Amino acid sequence: MNAPAAEVTEHASRRGGGRLGRKALRGTPMASFPTLVRNIPTYQMVPDEAVELIHQESLSILEEVGCEFRDDEAIALWQAAGADVFETRVRIDRALLMELVSKVPPEFTLNARNPERSVRVGGKNSIFVPMYGAPYVRDLDNVRRYGTLADLQNFHKLAYMAPALHSSSSIICEPMEIAVPKRHLHIIHSALKHSDKPFMGIVTSKDRAEDTMAMAGIVFGEDFVRDNPVLVAITNCNSPLVWDATMLDAMKVYARHNQPLILAPFALCGASTSASAVGAVAQVNAEALAGVAFTQLLRPGSPQIYGQFMVTVDMKTGAPMGGTPEAAQMMYLMGALARKYRLPWRTSGFHVGSKLNDAQAGYEANMLMHAAILAGANYIWHSAGWLEAGLTCGYSKFATDCEQLVGWYKYAGGLPFDDFKEAMAAIREVGPQGHFLGTQHTLEHFQSAFFMPSIMDFNSYEQWKAEGAKDHDTRGREKARNMLADYEEPKLDEGIADGLKDLIALREEKLPDSVS
């Protein structure tokens, strides 16, 4: 399991094909929205004084309680930087902490293999990213079962085809039939092969992170990925206040390659934090800032994403809940803190607790996406497919989420006034008791004037019944099936495709078939 990084790097460089070889053949271009630039105000739920109070308490937590960094190299780096270290406990002076955090750029470009799909992260920019990590799928026949590689490939295809998704993620669902030590190779290969949008890296071991970078090097070129962001990787702090060795290993690989990490505590509020929304935010902020600061010890100026995953716990059962009002409120607080630090930040959009793509799922999703948009989130993750607190990715949910994202994209883009003069002229043209259906203004704008979903049904009851009386979940599965039937692969250059296959074969020879 321990192939030297130099071996995979040399292999990637050998098969990369040079500048011309790295030019992806794009095949049939798919419609794809550019980075969403929010043209609506952000909403701050509490006054600046309350944000400052949380900020100061977070700094006090890191100074007085400290945070665990369970890795020898991390401890050595903190000691060299001047932190107060005892065994694995690191207490960070607030001046040192904020000096390190200030090195993170407020915006960066996330490069795609098709440059037309590259996006901006930070500032007024937002991108939508599908879910990650589901062991189960709810399939096209509405059956809940373990995910397979074929399912993962399907979800990467759907992500590629969805215009309002800006990334293909990576582990949308787990390909459970593939041995865990080798699984990451097929996950990344699928993301790179079936979509030309940005993707996400693997963080479950140092070697898997290095394999991810080697595969990215084949597609983008080793020199390019050494300095330019081509992926985002997620690292979770184990709340309360522990950064473990696995996450720190991944941080070291990606940050040193200038690849952005999401530094996101995984907080079950009421269980791994206090049973207080504002208390949870103070703790999670401390954990996230400690992670952000550590990346700057690894590579000063590397782009990073301040993050959080905060769900409340059902105090009757201990189960995590999805779109609760407290989760939305905490999102607004994290957004205010991110703006204070001038950090790009991540939250989750459509993560729900519902088992089905039903009314509960819709209510939960709307609660959280509304907060994500109005709080000014930059990297809105779990924006397609999420069911059952992340245990399941649903085909219907994926398709219906993608359609709703088109509406949210339009909502956050603000109200344009560019055709206002022509609209006023149309009123004068029609006058009283007329209609606007045949006016020049309508003919020029009817396709773009209003959000027109295809899965949602607005027909009469009689028409709906005549067409099979299908519910929203059924129509979502039909939409997903039809999208997959229309998919055309954005072809990789032949040399790049062969290089990826060769690397996978080389690594699979060396990796075990099971975790020891």
Side-chain angles (χ1 to χ4, degrees):
M1 184 151 178
N2 294 310
E7 178 184 279
V8 292
T9 299
E10 189 275 333
H11 179 82
S13 185
R14 186 172 68 248
R15 293 306 305 264
R19 182 182 300 173
L20 293 176
R22 288 192 294 271
K23 229 174 170 179
L25 299 176
R26 294 175 192 165
T28 303
M30 293 297 302
S32 186
F33 293 173
T35 307
L36 168 59
V37 180
R38 297 186 314 279
N39 286 315
I40 57 176
T42 52
Y43 176 67
Q44 186 162 310
M45 182 168 278
V46 298
D48 290 341
E49 294 81 3
V51 177
E52 183 65 21
L53 174 64
I54 294 172
H55 164 68
Q56 293 297 335
E57 287 301 318
S58 298
L59 301 188
S60 295
I61 289 170
L62 291 177
E63 284 184 330
E64 297 166 13
V65 181
C67 186
E68 295 271 328
F69 282 80
R70 295 179 178 174
D71 172 80
D72 290 343
E73 184 182 5
I75 290 298
L77 287 167
W78 277 119
Q79 284 179 319
D84 178 9
V85 174
F86 177 73
E87 296 180 347
T88 58
R89 183 77 65 94
V90 179
R91 292 176 174 84
I92 312 168
D93 174 80
R94 63 188 61 205
L96 171 61
L97 179 80
M98 297 315 298
E99 178 189 356
L100 291 169
V101 169
S102 70
K103 296 180 186 295
V104 177
E107 293 187 32
F108 63 89
T109 295
L110 180 59
N111 296 280
R113 74 169 171 94
N114 177 351
E116 293 177 7
R117 309 281 197 259
S118 297
V119 291
R120 291 287 292 174
V121 179
K124 293 181 69 66
N125 305 302
S126 293
I127 64 171
F128 296 121
V129 182
M131 75 164 294
Y132 180 105
Y136 299 99
V137 300
R138 185 162 288 277
D139 67 19
L140 291 168
D141 297 316
N142 203 23
V143 175
R144 181 185 184 269
R145 56 170 172 76
Y146 280 124
T148 66
L149 182 59
D151 292 311
L152 179 66
Q153 293 168 345
N154 281 343
F155 286 125
H156 285 150
K157 293 173 184 178
L158 291 172
Y160 166 65
M161 297 180 76
L165 281 177
H166 299 97
S167 166
S168 299
S169 186
S170 62
I171 320 169
I172 296 176
C173 71
E174 293 272 4
M176 299 292 281
E177 78 274 29
I178 300 175
V180 170
K182 303 176 181 181
R183 191 177 292 174
H184 65 288
L185 299 167
H186 298 275
I187 291 168
I188 298 302
H189 182 242
S190 177
L192 291 169
K193 172 181 168 65
H194 294 108
S195 173
D196 60 6
K197 295 180 179 180
F199 69 106
M200 296 189 70
I202 303 294
V203 298
T204 48
S205 77
K206 178 183 178 183
D207 293 333
R208 293 169 196 169
E210 288 176 341
D211 284 345
T212 301
M213 289 310 307
M215 295 174 79
I218 292 173
V219 173
F220 292 88
E222 276 298 315
D223 291 340
F224 190 82
V225 301
R226 198 170 290 119
D227 295 314
N228 297 284
V230 300
L231 59 84
V232 171
I234 173 67
T235 50
N236 289 130
C237 178
N238 290 333
S239 298
L241 297 164
V242 175
W243 284 100
D244 67 28
T246 300
M247 294 292 97
L248 293 169
D249 275 346
M251 276 193 217
K252 288 185 281 188
V253 172
Y254 290 121
R256 284 169 171 157
H257 278 88
N258 211 46
Q259 303 303 312
L261 294 140
I262 300 170
L263 292 310
F266 187 95
L268 301 176
C269 300
S272 60
T273 76
S274 61
S276 159
V278 291
V281 170
Q283 175 190 314
V284 165
N285 184 46
E287 294 166 337
L289 289 177
V292 170
F294 178 68
T295 65
Q296 301 308 293
L297 296 179
L298 296 167
R299 181 162 175 168
S302 58
Q304 305 299 336
I305 301 174
Y306 167 88
Q308 52 90 13
F309 183 87
M310 303 172 74
V311 294
T312 53
V313 168
D314 185 331
M315 303 309 277
K316 301 186 298 291
T317 66
M321 298 189 289
T324 62
E326 294 82 11
Q329 289 170 334
M330 291 186 289
M331 221 180 269
Y332 286 115
L333 292 177
M334 295 299 288
L337 289 162
R339 289 191 294 277
K340 177 181 179 63
Y341 307 135
R342 300 183 71 247
L343 291 174
W345 73 285
R346 164 262 168 151
T347 192
S348 300
F350 288 151
H351 71 94
V352 303
S354 182
K355 317 306 178 287
L356 301 170
N357 189 19
D358 58 7
Q360 178 182 331
Y363 292 141
E364 291 183 278
N366 184 69
M367 174 72 77
L368 296 182
M369 185 59 81
H370 218 132
I373 293 293
L374 291 182
N378 304 116
Y379 193 96
I380 306 178
W381 201 12
H382 305 318
S383 290
W386 181 286
L387 287 170
E388 200 182 336
L391 290 175
T392 297
C393 184
Y395 278 82
S396 175
K397 181 68 158 46
F398 202 101
T400 57
D401 284 345
C402 287
E403 179 169 276
Q404 287 301 301
L405 290 177
V406 175
W408 283 108
Y409 190 99
K410 191 161 191 177
Y411 177 91
L415 279 169
F417 275 72
D418 52 350
D419 69 330
F420 187 65
K421 183 177 180 180
E422 290 84 353
M424 296 301 97
I427 295 173
R428 290 164 173 79
E429 176 186 341
V430 171
Q433 299 189 33
H435 68 79
F436 291 78
L437 296 177
T439 66
Q440 187 64 32
H441 180 266
T442 299
L443 293 174
E444 291 176 356
H445 293 89
F446 76 96
Q447 289 183 306
S448 59
F450 308 116
F451 172 51
M452 293 192 294
S454 63
I455 302 175
M456 298 175 77
D457 187 286
F458 301 100
N459 290 324
S460 67
Y461 174 81
E462 291 75 16
Q463 183 68 30
W464 169 75
K465 189 174 180 180
E467 293 178 358
K470 298 170 185 173
D471 63 16
H472 193 63
D473 188 39
T474 301
R475 293 195 301 272
R477 287 195 302 278
E478 288 183 352
K479 178 69 172 182
R481 187 179 281 111
N482 291 337
M483 288 176 69
L484 290 170
D486 291 339
Y487 171 78
E488 294 185 37
E489 185 178 316
K491 294 288 187 181
L492 286 161
D493 174 85
E494 186 176 351
I496 292 172
D498 289 344
L500 289 171
K501 291 176 184 176
D502 289 352
L503 177 57
I504 291 170
L506 176 71
R507 292 292 288 130
E508 286 200 310
E509 286 180 7
K510 297 179 179 295
L511 293 170
D513 289 324
S514 62
V515 179
S516 56

